[in-house]
Amino acid sequence: MIPRVTATVDLAALRHNLGVVRRLAPRSRVMAAVKADAYGHGAVPVARTLEAAGVDALAVACLEEAMQLRQARVQAPIALLEGVISSEEAAQAVYERLQIVVHDHWQIALLEQLPASARLSVWFKLDSGMHRLGFPLTEVPRLVETLRRHPGWSFQGWMTHLACADEPDNPFTDEQIARFEAALAGIPGPRSIANSAGLIAWPRARTDWVRPGLALYGCSPMPGSTGAELGLKPAMRLESRIIAVREYASGEGIGYGLTYRCPERMRIGVVAIGYADGMHRAFRNGTPVLIRGRRAYLAGRVSMDMITVDLREVPDACVGDPVLLWGDALPAEEIAQWAGTLSYELFCGLTQRVHFRHLDAAGAR
Ligand SMILES: *Cc1c(COP(=O)(O)O)cnc(C)c1O
């Protein structure tokens, strides 16, 4: 059986991208974000690959994601970026040797309910200006006091998150870094500031730990640039096939609402991928796909299981031809713009119906 839609993940590309990150931040340890099923790339194979490549830690959003990795016998340190929401979760996190990112006093209260012998591993998350998660910077002395009261806690460090790191001209990033450093002046403990954009565009954010996600998957977080321009290799290739080719007269409308009108007599290809696979319905007429190495263009609305494409640039296209939706030759960063979104959301939006293949230099596995 030939799968309708295949996402091929190149594990060697992940290793390559980890190398790029290491060269950019040679003095930093690397905590790889593998939350959201490794940005839709498959958490277990991705985590195993990065672990084997010597990544220093992994990061997930929540306990459930961490459990999936531990059950797959991933041994690397794993941080819970949103921390825990109950003392049961906290106990489970301790049992699984997870690092808990603590962002609020109510979480400290949960942790204090655990037996004093519990081997807790914690980060403190500070809000340096993004105003999402984190303690206000003025709380630092209180947090230092909390650590003093709990000498048994294994303190991993101080974390903050950047709001505008993908805007190279926005002075707010320097402002956030300066505030974070000032609040921690003279206070011991590792510092962690940078996500992919921070790491790429803001050398001062390359502190003790960096926390790349998107860059490891080979994409650029900076608007208007692609991963390849940064030396990264896209790890995912998404492909489907042409299942019908028809010719229509000038003026005929295509698909739901007939939102595309043929400007001349032309061939339209039907490709077996739709929003139920993760091809966002927001993709506009003109979104490129690649067939036989040439670009064809979305013509008509994305439906649940299919899209229709203008085949004028690919006159030899026929039923059965593979169609690339994104990958090496068609950067997801560029495609995402056609749906008014980011490569992050394209990757996370792939559904159960997509068939995944994980390849290594040694072949499929
Ligand atoms: C997801 C996440 C990251 C990684 O972000 P990228 O933009 O994918 O590099 C880093 N830090 C935190 C706190 C995150 O939630």
Side-chain angles (χ1 to χ4, degrees):
M1 195 176 68
I2 301 172
R4 284 172 68 252
V5 181
T6 306
T8 306
V9 177
D10 176 4
L11 299 172
L14 288 174
R15 281 194 295 275
H16 168 87
N17 297 333
L18 178 61
V20 172
V21 165
R22 291 231 187 259
R23 282 191 292 281
L24 273 171
R27 282 177 295 279
S28 306
R29 280 178 282 172
V30 177
M31 176 185 284
V34 296
K35 61 195 179 192
D37 197 28
Y39 293 38
H41 288 63
V44 169
V46 167
R48 283 183 175 154
T49 300
L50 293 173
E51 180 174 42
V55 79
D56 301 286
L58 302 167
V60 296
C62 59
L63 183 64
E64 216 179 346
E65 292 181 339
M67 297 291 291
Q68 185 196 4
L69 297 180
R70 285 291 185 248
Q71 276 155 16
R73 289 186 294 283
V74 171
Q75 303 292 335
I78 302 177
L80 298 176
L81 291 172
E82 293 176 7
V84 290
I85 54 167
S86 66
S87 48
E88 289 75 23
E89 275 203 13
Q92 185 78 29
V94 170
Y95 180 77
E96 299 288 0
R97 293 167 292 107
L98 307 177
Q99 302 179 353
I100 303 174
V101 179
V102 177
H103 59 80
D104 203 344
H105 290 293
W106 64 263
Q107 292 182 314
I108 293 180
L110 286 180
L111 301 184
E112 288 181 332
Q113 289 168 23
L114 296 180
S117 60
R119 298 173 65 84
L120 269 172
S121 171
V122 299
W123 287 87
F124 282 144
K125 171 107 172 228
L126 303 178
D127 176 12
S128 56
M130 181 165 174
H131 300 337
R132 195 177 58 177
L133 288 184
F135 293 95
L137 296 172
T138 50
E139 298 282 298
V140 167
R142 247 179 106 186
L143 296 170
V144 170
E145 185 48 39
T146 302
L147 291 176
R148 203 167 287 142
R149 275 205 318 279
H150 298 286
W153 290 9
S154 164
F155 183 58
Q156 302 300 316
W158 305 94
M159 193 180 278
T160 195
H161 199 47
L162 299 171
C164 307
D166 59 343
E167 301 169 23
D169 299 325
N170 192 327
F172 193 65
T173 300
D174 272 330
E175 172 76 29
Q176 278 193 273
I177 298 170
R179 287 182 193 171
F180 181 71
E181 283 175 351
L184 292 172
I187 293 171
R191 272 71 159 154
S192 177
I193 301 176
N195 57 1
S196 297
L199 154 77
I200 289 163
W202 302 90
R204 282 179 62 206
R206 299 167 190 158
T207 56
D208 302 292
W209 283 88
V210 293
R211 307 187 307 270
L214 193 70
L216 294 173
Y217 306 102
C219 282
S220 169
M222 316 303 292
S225 77
T226 63
E229 290 160 17
L230 302 167
L232 301 166
K233 288 187 183 162
M236 186 193 289
R237 185 167 87 229
L238 185 72
E239 283 166 304
S240 182
R241 277 172 195 281
I242 300 182
I243 57 168
V245 176
R246 299 270 186 277
E247 192 166 309
Y248 298 108
S250 175
E252 292 296 318
I254 308 294
Y256 285 122
L258 307 179
T259 60
Y260 180 83
R261 291 278 166 184
C262 296
E264 58 184 315
R265 182 164 196 85
M266 61 188 280
R267 295 199 318 152
I268 293 284
V270 180
V271 181
I273 185 168
Y275 59 77
D277 303 286
M279 188 73 191
H280 293 219
R281 193 169 172 282
F283 277 114
R284 289 179 279 122
N285 281 336
T287 304
V289 303
L290 215 63
I291 302 169
R292 297 185 178 224
R294 271 158 291 157
R295 287 183 174 215
Y297 301 93
L298 189 67
R301 283 203 186 129
V302 173
S303 51
M304 187 181 287
D305 312 314
M306 285 168 267
I307 58 173
T308 37
V309 297
D310 167 359
L311 291 178
R312 283 177 294 173
E313 302 288 326
V314 199
D316 48 346
C318 59
V319 167
D321 278 359
V323 178
L324 183 75
L325 287 312
W326 59 74
D328 243 331
L330 204 59
E333 298 92 317
E334 178 191 338
I335 298 305
Q337 290 180 13
W338 287 90
T341 185
L342 302 172
S343 57
Y344 292 86
E345 199 185 13
L346 294 188
F347 297 149
C348 294
L350 296 179
T351 69
Q352 293 275 314
R353 203 160 72 176
V354 175
H355 177 85
F356 273 79
R357 281 196 313 167
H358 291 89
L359 302 183
D360 212 330
R365 59 176 202 189

